[in-house]
């Protein structure tokens, strides 16, 4: 690289997303930056930068680069790379000095210690820090944090301190001389740390503006929050550290305090110009630089490429200044690295950016001194403008075009960039021959467009794009005269020149530059028409017009070159010289002293030889047909790889320069066939070359090393291309790269660019495209396509090697014959001869088969019989290798399908494909195959698929049956409905079968839908009602109504209403009932029930809140009227019972309904409902004045509550219905109607019974103590036999379980409340009502003391007693027998339990029962005696008149005892009567015991 100074270079772009990959040497001579896997060095001592050289040795992207800043070592620098190594270089020799590979992970940061001359510190992705002292080849590892290192910086004041920034925002300061290395953990940032910079001056005393933010640190060093400090003076003194983070803040940290002392937030600066696509969303990169000698100033990057200078002395809002005052001075995209150096008297700052520019700034003026553009991809194309001399267009793989004004005096790197609408690698360029600034370009994705580079607003003006795209990479563009269908001459509507493009698919298009949105023409059409060509035209790979526009040369994929005459493209001659794809064709220029040279045409191909042909004789020839040229005019041999580009010198005659894959450019003297000079400065394969139009000694070359070189012919030491060794070295260098890549499958670092796997290096002269990794930032996928992409056959299928490994090749269907067709060349030649001989004999109608015995693969090219033999052999191979599918395919091709189908069916190997092609054999075969396949599918449990196949052969019933049997009812119904007549019985059968299954599983609603589908609404209603909840019953009732099942609907509605009643929703119940006229009577009952419940709850308010609040109607109630009048009024107003007919009808409806008698187990709400029914009948009778019916119904209601054991309810009903007693009712009765009089007597008895207890429980206050004293504790119990229930037992039961009566139904209060309220009422009453009134009330109770009823009840008791003894005897007998059979006591316990439950109405009662039982045991009674007693009692019962037995009556003896217990209150006459009755009829145990003290 000694001659490097003479070379002008546009270098490769600096690497992106690296915290330190550029640096300036301390002597101010060199600036270096990492570009991909090399380091580019620029000499910066002059006014403009000059290319100094490159450091070559790493095989992967360089992630860190730093110069040594120790005195006397300014030529040393260090690099770290993704290949895992850290190298130390000598820039004088451009060679590595030493290297180490101590890191196991990807290295992400590197710094050369400014104080220790041989210490290099590096950090990696996993958080390991390696300190390497290269003089003694010693290293030490630290692991302060298990986090990804993003940047690190050694302290310029303390040789052991290193600051490290991590991906997650943590900053750590370590001391590498200590075991516990972490001094501080600085927390504050919350995202990646991009850069760290130490203050160039030690100490922390200086900045007065900061003191307001910090408490003054005492001189005694106190506890430091983030770790201890060594008593070293330097450390004691402390130092500031600046950090820049992705969180858009810069923080200044104090090392003494271990905390942040200042935070600078990036300002939102205005974006000033810049070639960046607005759709690209950039990430922020915040790098900081603390320039030496400026302790109060920091330079930082900002959003989108601006650089800011911060003045740290400004308190409050920090003051910042923008670098670069004028337009276009600053970067247009984010800046990654900043470094500064003192050069002569100036302080220079260098910046590298994503916009691929390297800039140098003067820190004193903040102006940009120079800008060095760089390239981010292969240099595919170079083109000098024929109009604007010295204007060089560069087509680059980073999707941008550079236009370099090489003649600019004040700026040697005057480069404009064009990027709009390109979006792919620029592979071809061509300037318009006459129009200034008109540049055509072609891209890797087949796009062709034209830029106007001349206009002032060019930077923002997008190009025109042709609407016709190529399918593959554009190889070449050329301007030339119009050919049909465009007419020549450029008169009027037509342009004088049109644009021709040639691309990888082998087609040349002619584009009209005036109408790029119109259709482009394929020139092959004109060529065919003009030359009447019938055969296939070769694929075009290169195009070149003779400068005078008269001849067109087309290079082809097969190596031929065809010369056509404009404008109709008549073929003049074909050059058959090259035998490989043509890459480059160039006509010699017209000007010069030897006009005959203008007929020279030079061409280069994938072969390394360049041929020059002289076409003068051809053009002047008069022959009609096209000629063929097979001899070259000159041959230029010397290159060792393919030729990619050629350029004739515009300054000499017959002088040519060639660019080659061997990595060199060669200048030739064509006439002498002599190599003149060879340039070897590139580090890769050359892709393009142009001779300078102004300097005969200068040539420009572009290569896949991402650079353009301008070099001087006179300064090159080599004259010819390298032979062998140089090429081999190049190949070695390249083959090294991909191998490393292939082995290491590392994940790319968060910020590192995407990397591609390069393919293997060149294979001689037929190399496939080599792929180099794209490293400058977000990959341009560079290097996946070779420069000109001109070798079509090799590369039509070229892909990245990894991809080809991943994709498995499909198995060949003809492997045997394919294998025979890939044998040695000799064998293949023999095949050709044998085949020709066979075909010849066939022409003479001879049998050729014998000749092909051992070469069955030739059956492909001969007759059918031979082909069948070949197919049979191939099929046999497939079966042997276990590929029946391929065998079947072959048989299908042959036409022998029937055998294949039968064999597959027998083995159960039928497939969809086989079934699909079975109709080829015939209808019967198809039907048979489908049936066999359906059976096979059933075995595999694919029933639905099997049914579908049966349908395809119209076997509908079979398909439905198959689905039904396997319980696919839904699918079966779909098919049946779609394919059968609606009245087909199978449909109904399907519905009912499915409904049965659904019903069994409890899916009632779905089952109902099925029954409806089967036209069985009755069944649907039944199944819906099965669940029995309100919603189901309601729906079922509505459904029955719709279906015309009136009676069923009414039943269900009534059930539903009863359920609603249980939840106290009377409103809902009425809504359900009102749909049916037949339920009008029930509506009346429900209405009365609601009013009764309301009334009861008002009379006895309950404290306990019920979980469901009652839902009452808001009827207006007449509280003044009697209860029955109020009810009738509501019936008339709310329910519309206006006419007598309606009332009669309702009465008839209700009369027919009979409710079972109530017992103590009947639910209270049900008891109340049945009472409401009786009272409704009473109200209807009351309305029609049928009093004998009314009295029976009222009695029914009262006795129902008495039978249910709810004494309080009985009292309440008597009070509500008969508030004045029964006298009024008796007067209205017909006294000649004995039954009604008996009913009235019974009713009076119950009213008096209630009154009697009321008087006993609520005595006057003065007699209270007396009563209490006189109470016998054993009195309360009374005998409770089958027919009647003692009210005492009722009282005690309601006291024992208040919840049962009070909580379950708030209509009835628990007895305790009753007693209390009665007592308080009594207090008020006693003052006004004296003893006399009570006695008169007790006199009213004499209706209870009826002797004949007492006798009747006594007889009934005797019968019940005898029956009970009989039952006990039978039970005892069974028990003894069971005990004999098995020795367990289980059944005994059971019977005891039964007994106790039967008699457990109250405890004292059961005690007395046991006593009686004991007496009876002492005097055993025989069975005949018992039977006799029973008969006698029954005869006695028969003697009583029937009218006594019809209606129930309270227990007379019980009433006698109660009367006697009222003591002084009871009139003497009544007392005597009561005692008399007790004597006569009180023989039963309980009464005898109860009346003992009154009778003795």
């Amino acid at each position: 690289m000694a001659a490097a100074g003479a070379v002008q270079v546009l270098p490769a772009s600096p690497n992106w997303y690296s915290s330190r990959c550029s640096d300036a040497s301390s002597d101010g001579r060199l600036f270096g930056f990492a570009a991909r896997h090399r380091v580019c060095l620029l000499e910066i001592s002059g006014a403009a930068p000059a290319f100094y050289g490159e450091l070559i040795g790493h095989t992967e992207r360089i992630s860190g680069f730093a110069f040594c800043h120790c005195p006397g070592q300014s030529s040393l620098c260090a690099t770290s790379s993704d290949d895992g190594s850290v190298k130390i270089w000598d820039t004088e020799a451009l060679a590595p000095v030493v290297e180490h590979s101590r890191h196991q992970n990807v290295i992400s940061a590197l710094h050369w210690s400014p104080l220790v001359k041989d210490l290099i510190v590096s950090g990696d992705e996993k958080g390991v820090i390696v300190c390497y002292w290269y003089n003694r080849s010693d290293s030490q590892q630290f692991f302060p944090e298990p986090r990804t290192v993003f940047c690190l910086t050694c302290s310029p004041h303390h040789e052991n301190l290193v600051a490290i920034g991590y991906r997650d925002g943590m900053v750590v300061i370590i001391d590498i001389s200590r075991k516990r290395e972490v001094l501080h953990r600085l927390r504050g940032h919350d995202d990646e740390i991009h850069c760290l910079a130490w203050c160039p001056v030690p100490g922390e005393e200086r900045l007065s503006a900061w003191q307001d933010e910090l408490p003054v640190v005492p001189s005694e060093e106190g506890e430091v929050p983030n770790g201890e400090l060594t008593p070293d003076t330097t450390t004691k003194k402390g130092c500031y550290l600046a950090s820049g983070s992705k969180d858009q803040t810069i923080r200044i940290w104090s090392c003494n305090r271990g905390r942040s002392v200042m935070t600078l937030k990036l300002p939102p600066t205005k974006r000033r110009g810049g070639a960046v696509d607005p759709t690209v969303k950039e990430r922020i990169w915040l790098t900081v630089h603390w320039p030496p000698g400026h302790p109060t100033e920091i330079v930082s990057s900002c959003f989108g490429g601006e650089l800011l200078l911060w003045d740290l002395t400004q308190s409050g809002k920090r003051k910042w200044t923008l670098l670069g005052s004028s337009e276009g001075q600053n970067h247009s995209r984010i800046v990654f690295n900043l470094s500064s150096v003192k050069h002569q008297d100036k302080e220079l700052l260098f910046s590298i950016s994503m916009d691929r520019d390297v800039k140098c700034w003067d820190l004193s003026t903040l102006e940009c001194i120079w800008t060095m553009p760089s390239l981010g991809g292969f240099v595919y194309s170079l083109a000098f403008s024929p109009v604007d001399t010295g204007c060089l267009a560069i087509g680059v793989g980073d999707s941008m075009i550079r236009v370099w004004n090489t003649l600019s005096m004040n700026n040697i790197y005057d480069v404009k960039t064009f990027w709009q609408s390109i979006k792919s690698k620029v592979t071809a360029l061509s300037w318009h021959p006459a129009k200034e600034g008109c540049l055509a370009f072609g891209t890797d994705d087949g796009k062709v467009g034209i830029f106007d580079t001349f206009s002032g607003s060019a930077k923002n003006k997008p190009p025109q794009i042709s609407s016709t795209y190529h399918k593959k990479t554009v190889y070449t563009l050329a301007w030339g005269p119009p050919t049909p269908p465009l007419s020549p001459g450029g008169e009027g509507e037509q342009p004088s020149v049109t644009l021709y493009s040639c691309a990888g698919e082998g087609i040349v298009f002619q584009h009209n530059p005036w109408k790029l949105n119109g259709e482009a023409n394929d020139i092959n059409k004109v060529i065919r028409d003009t030359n009447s060509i019938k055969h296939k035209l070769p694929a075009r790979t290169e195009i070149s017009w003779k400068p005078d526009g008269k001849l067109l040369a087309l290079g082809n994929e097969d190596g031929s070159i065809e010369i056509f005459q404009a404008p109709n493209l008549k073929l003049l001659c074909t050059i058959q010289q090259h035998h490989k794809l043509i890459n480059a064709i160039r006509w010699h220029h017209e000007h010069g002293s030897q006009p005959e040279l203008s007929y020279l045409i030079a061409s280069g191909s994938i072969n390394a030889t360049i041929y020059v042909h002289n076409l003068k004789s051809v053009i002047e020839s008069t022959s009609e047909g096209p000629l063929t040229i097979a001899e070259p005019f000159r041959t230029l041999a010397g290159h060792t790889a393919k030729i990619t580009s050629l350029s004739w010198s515009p300054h000499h005659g017959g002088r040519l320069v060639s660019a080659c894959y061997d990595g060199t450019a060669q200048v030739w003297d064509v006439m002498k066939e002599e190599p003149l000079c060879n340039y070897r400065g590139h580090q890769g394969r050359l892709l393009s070359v142009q001779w300078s139009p102004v300097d005969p000694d200068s040539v420009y070359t572009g290569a896949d090393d991402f650079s353009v070189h301008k070099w001087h012919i006179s300064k090159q030491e080599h004259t010819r291309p390298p032979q062998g060794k140089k090429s081999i070295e190049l190949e070695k260098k390249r083959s090294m790269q991909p191998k490393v890549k292939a082995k290491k499958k590392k994940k790319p670092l968060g910020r590192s660019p995407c990397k591609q796997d390069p393919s293997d290096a060149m294979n001689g002269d037929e190399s496939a495209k080599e792929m180099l990794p794209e490293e400058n930032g977000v990959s341009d996928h560079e290097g996946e396509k070779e420069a000109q992409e001109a070798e079509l056959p090799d590369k039509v299928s070229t892909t990245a090697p990894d991809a080809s490994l991943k994709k498995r090749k499909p198995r060949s269907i003809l492997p045997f014959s394919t294998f025979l067709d890939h044998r040695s060349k000799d064998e293949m030649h023999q095949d050709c001869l044998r085949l020709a001989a066979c075909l010849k004999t066939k022409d003479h109608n001879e049998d050729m088969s014998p000749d092909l015995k051992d070469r069955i693969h030739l059956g492909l090219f001969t007759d059918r019989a031979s082909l069948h033999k070949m197919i049979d052999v191939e099929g046999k191979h497939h079966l042997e290798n276990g590929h029946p599918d391929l065998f079947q395919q072959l048989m299908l091709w042959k036409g022998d399908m029937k055998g294949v189908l039968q064999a597959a069916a027998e083995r159960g190997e039928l497939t969809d494909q086989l079934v699909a092609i079975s109709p080829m054999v015939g209808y019967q075969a198809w039907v048979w195959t489908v049936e066999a396949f359906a059976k096979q599918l059933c075995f595999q449990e694919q029933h639905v698929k099997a049914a579908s196949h049966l349908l395809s052969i119209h076997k509908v019933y079979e398909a439905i049956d198959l689905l039904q049997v396997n319980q696919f009812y839904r699918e079966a119904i779909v098919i049946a409905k779609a394919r059968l007549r609606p009245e087909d019985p199978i449909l109904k059968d399907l519905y009912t079968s499915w409904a049965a299954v659904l019903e069994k599983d409890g899916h009632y609603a779905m089952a109902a839908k099925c029954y409806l589908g089967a036209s069985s609404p009755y069944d649907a209603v039944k199944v819906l009602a099965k669940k029995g909840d309100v919603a189901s019953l309601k729906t079922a009732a509505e459904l029955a109504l719709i279906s015309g099942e009136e009676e069923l609907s009414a039943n269900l509605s009534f059930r539903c209403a009863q359920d609603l009643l249980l939840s106290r929703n009377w409103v809902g119940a009425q809504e359900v009932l009102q749909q049916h006229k037949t339920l009008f009577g029930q509506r009346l009952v429900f209405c009365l029930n609601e009013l009764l419940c309301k009334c009861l709850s008002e009379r006895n308010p309950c404290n306990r809140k019920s979980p469901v609040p009652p839902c009452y109607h808001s009827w207006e109630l007449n509280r003044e009227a009697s209860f029955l009048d109020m009810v009738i009024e509501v019936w008339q107003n709310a329910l519309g019972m206006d006419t007598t007919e309606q009332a009669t009808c309702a009465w008839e409806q209700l009369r027919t309904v009979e409710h079972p008698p109530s017992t103590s187990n009947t639910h209270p709400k049900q008891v109340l409902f049945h009472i409401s029914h009786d009272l409704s009948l009473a109200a209807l009778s009351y309305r029609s004045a049928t009093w004998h019916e009314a009295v029976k119904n009222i009695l029914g209601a009262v006795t129902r509550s008495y039978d249910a054991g709810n004494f309080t309810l009985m009292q309440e009903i008597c009070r509500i219905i008969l508030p004045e007693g029964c006298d009024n009712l008796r007067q209205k009765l017909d006294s000649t109607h004995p039954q009604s009089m008996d009913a009235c007597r019974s009713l009076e008895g119950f009213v008096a019974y209630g009154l009697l207890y009321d008087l006993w429980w609520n005595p006057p206050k003065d007699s209270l103590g007396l009563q209490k004293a006189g109470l016998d504790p054993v009195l309360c119990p009374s005998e409770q036999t089958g027919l009647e229930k003692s009210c005492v037992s009722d009282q005690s039961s309601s006291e024992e379980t208040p919840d049962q009566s009070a909580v379950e139904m708030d209509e009835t209060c628990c007895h305790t409340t009753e007693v209390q309220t009665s007592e308080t009422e009594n207090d008020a009453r006693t003052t006004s009502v004296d003893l006399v009134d009570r006695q008169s009330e007790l006199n009213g109770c004499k209706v209870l003391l009826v002797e004949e009823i007492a006798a009747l009840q006594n007889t009934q008791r005797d019968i019940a007693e005898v029956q009970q003894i009989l039952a006990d005897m039978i039970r005892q007998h069974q028990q003894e027998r069971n005990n004999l059979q098995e020795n367990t006591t289980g059944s005994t316990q059971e019977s005891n339990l039964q007994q106790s439950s039967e008699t457990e109405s109250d405890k004292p009662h059961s005690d007395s029962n046991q006593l009686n039982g004991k007496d009876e045991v002492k005097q055993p009674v025989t069975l005949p005696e018992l039977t006799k007693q029973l008969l006698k009692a029954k005869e006695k019962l028969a003697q009583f008149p029937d009218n006594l037995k019809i209606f129930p009556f309270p227990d007379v003896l019980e009433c006698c005892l109660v009367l006697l217990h009222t003591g002084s209150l009871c009139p003497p006459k009544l007392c005597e009567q009561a005692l008399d009755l007790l004597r006569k009829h009180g023989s039963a145990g309980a009464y005898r015991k109860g009346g003992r003290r009154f009778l003795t």
Side-chain angles (χ1 to χ4, degrees), residues 272 323-330 361 366-368:
R272 299 186 306 185
L323 272 73
S325 54
S326 60
E327 176 70 36
Q329 275 207 358
N330 45 335
W361 306 80
L366 302 187
E367 294 296 317
C368 179

Side-chain angles (χ1 to χ4, degrees), residues 502 539-543 553-557 560-562 582 585:
C502 174
R540 317 296 187 185
T541 59
E542 177 68 351
I543 177 170
L554 289 184
N556 299 324
E557 187 194 343
S560 63
I561 298 171
E562 293 172 318
I582 302 294
I585 301 176

Side-chain angles (χ1 to χ4, degrees), residues 664-680:
T664 68
Q666 179 65 40
V667 179
W668 309 86
D669 183 328
V670 173
M671 301 313 278
K672 296 180 181 172
E673 294 187 341
E674 189 184 315
L676 298 178
C677 141
N678 182 256
Y679 176 69
R680 304 182 183 183

Side-chain angles (χ1 to χ4, degrees), residues 1084-1086 1088 1131 1150 1171-1181:
L1084 302 181
V1085 176
F1086 275 75
L1088 187 136
W1131 283 355
L1150 294 177
I1171 288 169
S1172 304
H1173 186 272
D1174 293 332
L1175 291 178
S1176 299
L1177 280 167
L1180 287 166
S1181 305

